[in-house]
């Protein structure tokens, strides 16, 4: 998906796209559009998803009109993904640098405008925002930094934005930010005396924007979701900080969000997104019960992206067909879901997980599957490791053994409870080396690789459930949660 002539630099949550020019690389076909090649260097741009001519013009420091004329485009609203555009007089420089910003909890357009020294109009146009007030968490915004210096309205000089909370007044804010009251009044064109209201957004002149999101609804002081955007079949980690002691409950995609609280005001949760969930924007609701009895309901809009999973056909031998009998698989599936959909409050996992087998990965999580040419209604629910029969199976993280059983489809099966609704399953084992209630440590041998149950050869199937959904276990090998 990445334009081969672009270099993607990741700086924390911010990706900077630098356009690299193919100087003097204008093909003869450029003339077909009827335009005349302007002097100077040109480059070819391949249109990516979510791009429009405005963005592309901004990226190369040129104009929509120039690109349209040079490429014979009659309707500037109509360009196609994959279309090759010849960019005349492509520039690098201040306006050729594109910053993308992934919207985090608490981000508001006014705060982004202040942080990136741009305008609401430029942000809206660059991102086709029909309603700029409705951002969603995980949204990737193109930020036209310094887009047309003259476009910056008066009063949008560098500064930060403050969302007024109960009990705050202009004097307290002046003290908090160490600036004169007059400066606050002038920067926000407030009438005097200047009563403030809850939720009012004030520009704080001369104070650089904080690293983290501001503007969260009180009593939330901080909210971090990672990774963003959230995706099908992936785990979303949430960390919230409240102003004082509170209990938090919540819901997302029709399932509960269960938070663990420590130090009274720090709250964390891990949430598994179904691999079959429809990509889209979903409400995430939080109910915050403060120690003083005050209840706050908050709804955040969170984007869930496609996981980009492949599809495959699996043909089973005739004697294995009975294993597809829904009556048989249904009972076993329910028994497994009952254990792996649980929740225990003690957290055993700590940091990134290890690999449960030294074998090579032979099948990824998430691949859409159809059995014997049926519909693509299921997906590969774990990660397969190709290891020889009898090879050791290793606990990827600490936990408590919640199930050991010989099952028809999954074969010799072990389930480990890692706490906070995180469960590992290990299927098709030749031998199980632990028993229910055992406390296991990371790296401990818990069984041996085999080919029991519905299996076409010796391998380990490692399955991970988070909050009642099967998720990609390899995400937990690559990052720590929450
Ligand atoms: Zn598998």
């Amino acid at each position: 998906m990445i334009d081969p002539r672009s270099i993607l630099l990741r700086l924390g949550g911010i990706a900077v796209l630098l356009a690299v020019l193919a100087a003097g690389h204008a093909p003869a076909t450029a003339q077909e559009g009827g335009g005349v090649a302007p002097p100077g260097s040109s480059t070819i741009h391949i249109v990516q998803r979510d791009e429009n001519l405005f963005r592309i013009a901004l990226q190369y420091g040129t104009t929509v009109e120039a690109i349209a004329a040079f490429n014979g485009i009659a309707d500037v609203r109509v360009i196609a993904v994959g279309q090759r555009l010849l960019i005349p007089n492509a520039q690098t420089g201040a306006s050729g640098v594109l910053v993308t910003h992934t919207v985090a909890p608490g981000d508001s357009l006014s705060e982004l405008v202040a942080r990136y020294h741009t305008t609401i109009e430029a942000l809206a146009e660059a991102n086709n925002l029909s309603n700029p007030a409705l951002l969603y968490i995980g949204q990737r915004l193109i930020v036209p930094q310094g887009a047309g210096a003259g476009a910056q309205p008066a009063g949008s000089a560098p500064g930060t934005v403050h969302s007024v909370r109960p009990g705050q007044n202009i004097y307290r804010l002046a003290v908090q930010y160490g600036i004169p009251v007059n400066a606050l009044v002038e920067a926000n064109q407030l009438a005097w005396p200047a009563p403030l209201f809850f939720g009012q957004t004030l520009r704080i002149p001369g104070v650089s924007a904080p690293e983290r999101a501001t503007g969260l609804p009180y009593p939330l002081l901080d909210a971090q979701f990672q990774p963003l955007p959230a995706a099908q079949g992936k785990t979303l980690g949430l960390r919230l900080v409240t102003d004082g002691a509170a209990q938090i409950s919540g819901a997302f995609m029709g399932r509960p969000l269960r938070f663990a609280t420590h130090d009274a005001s720090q709250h964390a949760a891990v949430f598994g997104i179904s691999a079959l969930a429809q990509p889209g924007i979903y409400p995430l609701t939080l109910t915050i019960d403060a120690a003083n009895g005050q209840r706050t309901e908050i709804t955040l809009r969170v984007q869930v992206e496609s996981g980009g999973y492949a599809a495959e056909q699996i043909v089973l031998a005739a004697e294995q067909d009975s294993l597809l009998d829904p009556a048989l698989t249904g009972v076993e599936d329910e028994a497994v879901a009952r254990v792996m959909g649980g929740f225990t409050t003690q957290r055993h996992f700590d940091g990134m997980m290890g690999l449960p087998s030294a074998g090579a990965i032979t099948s990824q999580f998430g691949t859409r599957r159809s059995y014997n040419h049926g519909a693509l209604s299921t997906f590969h629910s774990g990660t397969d490791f190709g290891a020889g029969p009898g090879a050791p199976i290793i606990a990827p993280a600490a936990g408590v053994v919640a199930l050991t059983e010989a099952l028809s489809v999954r074969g010799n099966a072990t389930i480990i409870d890692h706490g906070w609704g995180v469960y590992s399953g290990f299927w098709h084992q030749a031998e199980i080396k632990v028993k229910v209630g055992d406390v296991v440590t990371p790296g401990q041998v818990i069984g041996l690789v085999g080919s029991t149950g519905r299996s076409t050869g010796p391998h380990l199937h490692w399955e991970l459930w988070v909050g009642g959904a099967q998720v990609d276990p390899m995400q937990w090998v690559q990052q720590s949660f929450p």
Side-chain angles (χ1 to χ4, degrees):
M1 289 302 289
I2 293 170
D3 183 329
R5 279 156 292 103
S6 295
I7 298 168
L8 195 65
L9 302 171
R10 290 218 168 270
L11 306 167
I14 295 172
V16 182
L17 274 169
L18 300 173
V20 178
L21 300 186
H25 194 67
T29 54
Q31 303 305 320
E32 286 172 11
V36 177
S41 67
S42 295
T43 190
I44 302 164
H45 178 91
I46 301 169
V47 177
Q48 305 294 304
R49 203 165 63 89
D50 294 338
E51 282 187 333
N52 60 34
L53 271 188
F54 179 86
R55 276 195 206 184
I56 295 167
L58 210 56
Q59 179 174 347
Y60 294 102
T62 181
T63 64
V64 170
E65 293 70 30
I67 297 176
F70 200 45
N71 292 275
I73 296 171
D75 186 344
V76 297
R77 292 166 303 178
V78 181
I79 55 171
V81 172
Q83 185 175 352
R84 286 161 189 270
L85 296 175
L86 195 66
I87 312 294
N89 271 334
Q91 311 276 324
T92 50
S95 60
V97 176
L98 266 193
V99 173
T100 67
H101 175 89
T102 301
V103 175
D107 279 355
S108 67
L109 217 53
S110 55
E111 190 222 1
L112 295 177
V113 162
R115 187 188 302 182
Y116 292 109
H117 309 160
T118 182
T119 65
I120 287 187
E121 293 73 26
L123 269 178
E125 191 169 4
N127 295 283
N128 287 328
L129 301 178
S130 53
N131 183 350
L134 288 179
L135 297 182
Y136 52 86
I137 294 165
Q139 185 173 12
R140 289 198 186 95
L141 292 176
I142 298 284
V143 181
Q145 274 197 308
Q152 207 160 283
S156 66
T160 189
V161 170
H162 180 93
S163 182
V164 176
R165 300 207 294 262
Q168 293 184 324
N169 61 39
I170 196 96
Y171 301 102
R172 285 200 194 174
L173 289 179
V175 170
Q176 180 179 335
Y177 287 103
I179 53 172
V181 172
N182 278 349
L184 265 180
V185 171
E186 274 171 30
N188 295 281
Q189 296 169 344
L190 299 174
W192 189 262
L196 304 182
F197 56 89
F198 173 41
Q200 183 176 5
T201 302
L202 291 180
R203 229 166 47 71
I204 313 295
V207 175
S208 43
E211 287 294 305
R212 286 179 181 175
T214 59
L216 288 166
Y218 189 81
L220 271 188
L221 296 184
D222 191 22
Q224 290 180 42
F225 294 2
Q226 55 103 11
L228 288 178
Q232 295 171 310
K234 303 289 184 189
T235 302
L236 180 65
L238 301 93
R239 279 181 178 281
L240 306 176
V241 180
T242 47
D243 190 5
Q247 292 290 324
I248 302 187
S249 59
F252 186 44
M253 307 185 84
R255 303 207 318 279
L257 262 172
R258 303 191 64 168
F259 285 88
T261 295
H262 66 97
D263 298 336
S265 61
Q266 316 265 327
H267 316 271
V270 284
F271 185 86
I273 296 166
S274 165
L276 296 175
Q278 278 294 112
I281 297 160
Y282 291 85
L284 185 152
T285 58
L286 297 172
T287 302
I288 305 174
D289 285 306
N292 65 8
Q294 190 176 352
R295 167 169 285 197
T296 310
E297 309 260 6
I298 294 169
T299 301
L300 303 169
R301 291 150 41 87
V302 180
Q303 183 190 19
V304 173
E305 274 198 333
S306 160
Y309 301 115
E312 67 182 6
Q313 295 276 346
I314 291 184
V315 179
L316 292 178
E319 68 268 21
Q320 287 178 301
D321 265 4
S322 65
L323 293 175
L324 292 179
D325 178 359
L328 179 65
T329 58
V331 169
E332 182 178 316
D333 289 352
E334 279 170 31
V336 167
R338 213 165 23 244
V339 176
M340 298 186 87
F343 185 93
T344 52
T345 53
Q346 192 184 344
R347 186 180 71 141
H348 300 284
F349 66 87
D350 184 17
M352 287 188 285
M353 291 192 178
L355 288 170
S357 167
I361 291 173
T362 52
S363 180
Q364 311 263 12
F365 170 88
T367 307
R368 267 60 170 145
R369 283 183 164 176
S370 95
Y371 285 95
N372 295 349
H373 307 292
L376 285 168
S377 54
T378 64
F379 61 96
H380 186 223
S381 56
T383 302
D384 285 352
F385 296 84
I393 299 168
I394 296 157
V400 179
V401 177
L403 176 141
T404 58
E405 204 170 322
L407 300 172
S408 304
V409 178
R410 292 162 181 82
N412 289 328
T414 299
I415 297 174
I416 296 176
D417 176 4
H418 301 294
W420 285 16
V422 181
Y423 292 82
S424 272
F426 307 87
W427 312 154
H428 312 304
Q429 298 174 80
E431 195 181 329
I432 297 171
K433 296 263 189 201
V434 288
K435 60 184 190 305
V436 172
D438 282 0
V439 174
V440 299
T441 54
Q444 181 179 337
V445 174
I446 58 165
L448 303 179
V449 171
S451 187
T452 53
R454 186 204 287 171
S455 168
T456 51
H459 75 287
L460 170 68
H461 173 106
W462 175 31
E463 190 160 316
L464 198 76
W465 287 49
V466 176
Q470 293 153 318
V471 294
D472 184 1
M474 295 307 290
Q475 191 189 0
W476 285 71
V477 173
Q478 287 148 9
Q479 71 170 96
S480 59
F481 285 101

